[in-house]
Amino acid sequence: MSGSADPAPPQTGAPAGRIKKRRDFLRAASRGKRAARPGLVLQALATEPGSLRLGFTVTKKVGNAVVRNRARRRMKEAARLSLPGLGVSGWDIVLIGRDGTGKRPFGQLIGDLRGALKQAGVLP
């Protein structure tokens, strides 16, 4: 038995880094463009070309830790599936979970993300 896994599908666009520091979240909130959708809120700040960093946050108003983690996981998966195919680079993007993020149908959540990217000017 070889035990090798199938190779990962090729991805287009820059690999996404993570935003983890509070000052980076605050910078995106104060200087970035904002777009709200029923499933999420997006804050996008233009940075140097070729870089892409993502940050995810859900406030305690949304629910307990289980609910917040579910919302965060769903936003991460939506970003993982959507962003490489769109060729987004040169941005710091913060996704903020809302009350409906955890329960919203996944197709609609992806639609919310794409619509917010267009509204904030990340996509043409």
Side-chain angles (χ1 to χ4, degrees):
M1 286 184 3
S2 67
S4 65
D6 292 330
Q11 293 185 355
T12 58
R18 290 290 306 274
I19 298 174
K20 293 186 177 182
K21 298 194 182 209
R22 177 174 166 77
R23 69 172 179 248
D24 294 333
F25 280 96
L26 293 176
R27 186 179 305 127
S30 65
R31 295 190 218 160
K33 298 175 184 177
R34 184 177 172 98
R37 296 290 176 172
L40 54 85
V41 176
L42 178 136
Q43 296 170 340
L45 178 66
T47 60
E48 68 266 1
S51 71
L52 175 63
R53 294 192 314 161
L54 300 174
F56 303 91
T57 186
V58 183
T59 67
K60 285 188 176 182
K61 288 191 273 185
V62 171
N64 64 17
V66 173
V67 173
R68 293 192 312 266
N69 286 332
R70 177 178 166 85
R72 191 175 301 112
R73 284 192 311 268
R74 288 172 56 93
M75 288 189 302
K76 285 180 182 180
E77 185 65 8
R80 185 187 72 82
L81 293 174
S82 299
L83 293 178
L86 299 174
V88 176
S89 69
W91 294 90
D92 280 356
I93 297 174
V94 175
L95 297 177
I96 303 168
R98 300 184 100 177
D99 287 335
T101 304
K103 296 177 185 166
R104 193 157 175 82
F106 195 69
Q108 289 180 351
L109 188 62
I110 289 178
D112 288 344
L113 175 59
R114 289 180 185 211
L117 288 168
K118 288 180 185 173
Q119 183 180 346
V122 176
L123 295 179

